[in-house]
Amino acid sequence: MNDLPTQRSRERVTMTEHTTTDDVLPDEGTPVATDSVDAALESLDSDGLEGYNYAYLDEHTKREVRRSVLKAVAIPGHQVPYASRPMPLARGWGTGGIQASLSILGPEDTFKVIDQGADESINAANIRRLAENTADVPTTTDTTEADLIQSRHRIPEEVLTDEQRLVLQVPITDALRTVDPSDAANRRRHAHKNYGKMWVHLYENVVEYGEIKISSRYPTMVAGRYLMDPSPIPRWDVPKLDHADHLTVLAAGREARLYAVPPHTEVEPLAFDDRQFTVERFPEQACHACGSTDTYLVEVSEEATEDGDNAFETRYACNDASFCAKRRKNPDLPKDHHLEEAVDWGPGTPDAPTDDAGTPVEQGGAGE
Amino acid sequence: MTLLEARDLQTRYGPGCPRCVESTGDRAGTNQCPHCGSVVACADADLSVEAGEVVGIVGESGSGKSSLAELLALERDDDATTAGEVHYAGHDGNLLEVDYETRHDLRTGEIALVHQHIRDGLNLEFTGGGNVAEKLLSAGQRSYEDVRARIRELFDETEIPVARMDDPTSTYSGGMQRRVQIARALATDPDLVVLDEPTTGLDVSVQARVLDMFRRVQREEGVAAIVVSHDLSVVRLLADRTLVMRHGRIVESGLTDRIMEDPHHEYTQTLINSVI
């Protein structure tokens, strides 16, 4: 476990009081006072990270995850099993994403973590700190500066390049589970590209709503072969995967499976010839903070500033917090501002007003 | 033109032994092998179906009718051991040995089965239209309006109220569910439809209407059919030729009129005399 020389020496320093004569130290941990929580915290003089391998996971685990990622890249959209180790947070909270990220991360990478578009959510901040502490990587909130982005349920608004990798956290790996709970039957369907059941699901959706109203986890064909659950990203983000420059790895910790969309791969949301795939629409709405009308907006309910009598108002805000911050400084910043050539990235909002900017305010609902 | 030709069909449930086939059947008076306990659901069954022809299979409950029908409709039962050959016009080789994909293509395009039990054939949570749409979409249709138009046409043809097409199938009456199954079976213009007990569980007036409807549609579309029933009057109404089964064997076969008027086999005579 502890075979890095630097860690060994650090450990020797912190464990002088109860050190044994043996040269190879068993990892006995740091003794703490047990009188009270405060006393216990007082007696700690480190983060307790001694003895952990680089990037938290041991080398065999990382190698196994990397092998699975390679397999996933070789068969786009196909779900590849991997071991999925216990992580220092509950399964379902992004353990798959963390394992993929930590296996791919190197010390020269810059890491960004977003949760539903926000860099500052507790979960995102903690995952970022884990990588900072164990993998020794610089972190950022700026999409364009990141080499590796781990994300829950969003693809950033700014165009990702072929230098970047995106890791998406996945709660449910199989798109077909919506129509049949049996994994065995669904695996057979994937093997034979038999997606009739999913098509009936879409048909029934149109019958009920007049259009396909699947809000997230939109069933998507990858490279014309496998039906993929693109994780709960909104429909808005699905077109960004099509012929993208970046690699997307989708990993599920609870289900111990991962899959990938390699760069320049065809990704096609299922739709009828005469009932097209559509993205979310925000007619007449703009981000209240930066005035953007071409980004994915979310409703935020906030206490009105004028009269505090339980008066709430619903406003729209950019979901991608870091891009919103940039737009607040420069409202005309294009999504491909950092690239030399213009790139068509995701949908715009055609029926949104061209410029109906709300007053830029300092504290936005989307965070900093 | 011979559409389907089957030879030596056999379905067995159980471990099996070399004496299974000789120890069962009409002469032995049982379909269970006394040596190993296996049930020989059907054996030594030969039959052929011409294009556009209706072949009836009658026999008492447990005589192997459904097992034979399932073999012919390429429906697989993992518990059963099957043997024999099924040759089908336009396909090389034995249909019982084709891979999953070919079988799936045949089942969506050319050979349709109307199941005895509604739940085997329909997804009751889907709408009636959705059940028919599944067949069309599996066959590769990708235009919503075309699918809708075809469903309306089929509902019209099979006399289901078109206004009900977007209701869940579970809210349909028994007769309507049968009709949806038939509409679904006919959706992709198959060459052969296998109907397993098409009128079981329906009251007589509804039975008559479903049979009338099927006879009309069958003639209009020129689709061949294999009709399995314990009810002689169903077979008399629909079938050109009839096979009589007992203890897993075909004991008599011939033109339906000949079987009804001049039954040769002792069992057939009893069967016809016992019609109330």
Side-chain angles (χ1 to χ4, degrees):
Chain A
M1 201 157 157
N2 42 3
D3 40 15
L4 284 182
T6 48
Q7 282 175 351
R8 174 99 42 86
S9 58
R10 237 177 26 217
E11 197 167 275
R12 289 287 278 271
V13 174
T14 55
M15 296 168 85
T16 38
E17 294 93 350
H18 67 289
T19 203
T20 55
T21 50
D22 200 337
D23 191 43
V24 183
L25 284 170
D27 187 14
E28 290 171 2
T30 318
V32 292
T34 50
D35 316 334
S36 68
V37 176
D38 283 339
L41 289 173
E42 196 71 18
S43 66
L44 288 177
D45 51 5
S46 75
D47 291 337
L49 287 164
E50 293 77 24
Y52 281 105
N53 192 26
Y54 176 75
Y56 185 77
L57 299 166
D58 64 89
E59 293 304 317
H60 287 294
T61 298
K62 285 191 277 187
R63 185 178 296 178
E64 196 250 346
V65 174
R66 287 182 203 130
R67 276 184 184 150
S68 300
V69 170
L70 286 175
K71 215 183 271 184
V73 168
I75 319 171
H78 176 62
Q79 299 162 48
V80 181
Y82 73 106
S84 193
R85 302 286 181 219
M87 295 300 290
L89 78 167
R91 286 192 163 162
W93 285 71
T95 50
I98 301 176
Q99 288 177 81
S101 299
L102 291 176
S103 301
I104 301 173
L105 268 181
E108 69 285 357
D109 284 332
T110 305
F111 191 41
K112 169 183 164 85
V113 187
I114 43 177
D115 181 349
Q116 295 270 27
D119 291 277
E120 299 308 328
S121 106
I122 296 273
N123 204 24
N126 281 337
I127 293 172
R128 195 162 52 228
R129 214 170 55 210
L130 179 74
E132 243 167 32
N133 288 340
T134 61
D136 212 13
V137 287
T139 56
T140 180
T141 57
D142 185 342
T143 303
T144 58
E145 280 174 15
D147 297 300
L148 182 71
I149 300 168
Q150 180 177 333
S151 168
R152 173 173 170 265
H153 308 183
R154 270 315 302 279
I155 296 175
E157 297 287 356
E158 285 166 285
V159 182
L160 298 182
T161 68
D162 54 5
E163 308 271 287
Q164 293 175 301
R165 289 148 292 163
L166 176 68
V167 171
L168 284 170
Q169 297 169 205
V170 180
I172 296 165
T173 52
D174 203 327
L176 289 173
R177 208 168 299 159
T178 318
V179 292
D180 189 345
S182 161
D183 275 0
N186 289 338
R187 269 197 280 273
R188 199 153 52 233
R189 289 197 178 94
H190 281 299
H192 297 286
K193 203 181 159 186
N194 173 7
Y195 297 131
K197 265 256 161 70
M198 182 50 88
W199 280 102
V200 181
H201 182 60
L202 299 187
Y203 164 87
E204 304 249 298
N205 228 272
V206 181
V207 167
E208 201 168 340
Y209 306 111
E211 61 175 296
I212 304 170
K213 280 268 189 188
I214 298 169
S215 60
S216 61
R217 298 183 55 217
Y218 196 95
T220 303
M221 281 303 277
V222 181
R225 178 59 186 85
Y226 283 103
L227 188 72
M228 179 183 84
D229 184 328
S231 88
I233 56 175
R235 282 176 299 177
W236 182 272
D237 285 341
V238 174
K240 295 177 184 174
L241 291 169
D242 185 33
H243 289 103
D245 283 334
H246 69 278
L247 163 69
T248 308
V249 175
L250 301 103
R254 190 168 36 198
E255 299 202 8
R257 295 205 214 158
L258 54 81
Y259 46 103
V261 179
H264 314 293
T265 305
E266 185 193 7
V267 174
E268 194 194 359
L270 290 191
F272 294 104
D273 295 343
D274 46 2
R275 288 292 186 283
Q276 300 286 322
F277 169 80
T278 53
V279 298
E280 290 84 353
R281 297 178 288 279
F282 310 99
E284 314 281 312
Q285 299 300 342
C287 172
H288 74 89
C290 71
S292 296
T293 54
D294 61 344
T295 55
Y296 183 71
L297 302 177
V298 286
E299 273 184 17
V300 283
S301 188
E302 278 182 27
E303 215 166 332
T305 37
E306 282 84 52
D307 55 284
D309 281 352
N310 293 332
F312 283 86
E313 61 175 339
T314 300
R315 298 193 289 190
Y316 281 83
C318 283
N319 180 251
D320 185 335
S322 101
F323 188 57
C324 188
K326 287 188 187 178
R327 275 272 171 94
R328 266 178 275 169
K329 291 197 192 97
N330 177 5
D332 299 321
L333 192 71
K335 293 178 185 179
D336 53 3
H337 62 92
H338 51 298
L339 302 175
E340 283 165 15
E341 282 174 37
V343 174
D344 191 18
W345 177 251
T349 40
D351 42 6
T354 40
D355 189 21
D356 186 23
T359 333
V361 283
E362 272 308 295
Q363 77 237 62
E368 297 283 82
Chain B
M1 188 187 79
T2 305
L3 187 66
L4 180 135
E5 181 125 33
R7 273 197 301 274
D8 276 337
L9 292 184
Q10 192 189 111
T11 300
R12 189 189 70 228
Y13 293 90
C17 69
R19 288 181 288 176
C20 273
V21 174
E22 66 186 51
S23 329
T24 59
D26 189 37
R27 197 159 299 165
T30 178
N31 63 0
Q32 185 167 27
C33 173
H35 306 287
C36 66
S38 302
V39 171
V40 181
C42 67
D44 299 331
D46 298 340
L47 73 127
S48 68
V49 182
E50 306 290 316
E53 185 191 33
V54 182
V55 175
I57 302 178
V58 284
E60 60 195 8
S61 158
S63 61
K65 307 183 301 282
S66 290
S67 296
L68 187 59
E70 279 168 13
L71 268 182
L72 295 171
L74 309 183
E75 180 87 351
R76 265 184 206 169
D77 184 348
D78 292 336
D79 298 330
T81 313
T82 59
E85 284 177 47
V86 176
H87 293 280
Y88 188 76
H91 281 269
D92 295 332
N94 184 357
L95 287 202
L96 295 185
E97 286 166 6
V98 294
D99 56 42
Y100 177 97
E101 209 145 348
T102 316
R103 193 168 66 94
H104 181 257
D105 289 351
L106 281 166
R107 285 290 305 271
T108 40
E110 290 167 57
I111 302 177
L113 172 65
V114 174
H115 288 264
Q116 178 172 4
H117 304 291
I118 302 234
R119 271 170 202 286
D120 293 342
L122 297 179
N123 187 330
L124 295 186
E125 277 150 38
F126 286 162
T127 61
N131 272 297
V132 180
E134 186 175 8
K135 221 34 191 304
L136 297 165
L137 294 164
S138 295
Q141 283 252 26
R142 290 296 174 260
S143 158
Y144 177 75
E145 290 303 338
D146 288 359
V147 169
R148 296 286 284 178
R150 178 77 180 130
I151 297 169
R152 272 190 216 107
E153 197 180 296
L154 285 160
F155 269 45
D156 231 27
E157 211 166 78
T158 51
E159 295 158 18
I160 315 167
V162 175
R164 295 287 307 274
M165 71 189 268
D166 294 336
D167 294 345
T169 316
S170 53
T171 66
Y172 286 17
S173 70
M176 277 166 75
Q177 291 175 345
R178 288 281 167 191
R179 289 166 200 269
V180 172
Q181 268 208 301
I182 293 172
R184 181 185 151 94
L186 296 170
T188 47
D189 289 324
D191 297 324
L192 175 67
V193 179
V194 180
L195 295 112
D196 193 358
E197 303 280 5
T199 55
T200 311
L202 302 181
D203 52 66
V204 249
S205 59
V206 179
Q207 272 190 27
R209 284 209 299 276
V210 169
L211 291 175
D212 262 0
M213 178 275 287
F214 183 75
R215 190 164 60 163
R216 180 176 54 74
V217 174
Q218 185 269 326
R219 289 200 181 144
E220 278 171 14
E221 310 261 327
V223 56
I226 296 173
V227 180
V228 174
S229 183
H230 65 279
D231 187 346
L232 270 179
S233 50
V234 169
V235 169
R236 190 204 294 267
L237 189 69
L238 295 177
D240 303 315
R241 279 192 304 125
T242 299
L243 312 174
V244 184
M245 287 192 77
R246 194 187 193 197
H247 298 309
R249 303 294 191 282
I250 297 173
V251 293
E252 185 167 0
S253 66
L255 292 175
T256 307
D257 287 348
R258 204 276 293 155
I259 301 258
M260 299 295 167
E261 301 301 324
D262 179 22
H264 292 179
H265 193 276
E266 182 194 1
Y267 171 68
T268 320
Q269 290 167 359
T270 322
L271 198 67
I272 285 164
N273 287 334
S274 64
V275 172
I276 308 160

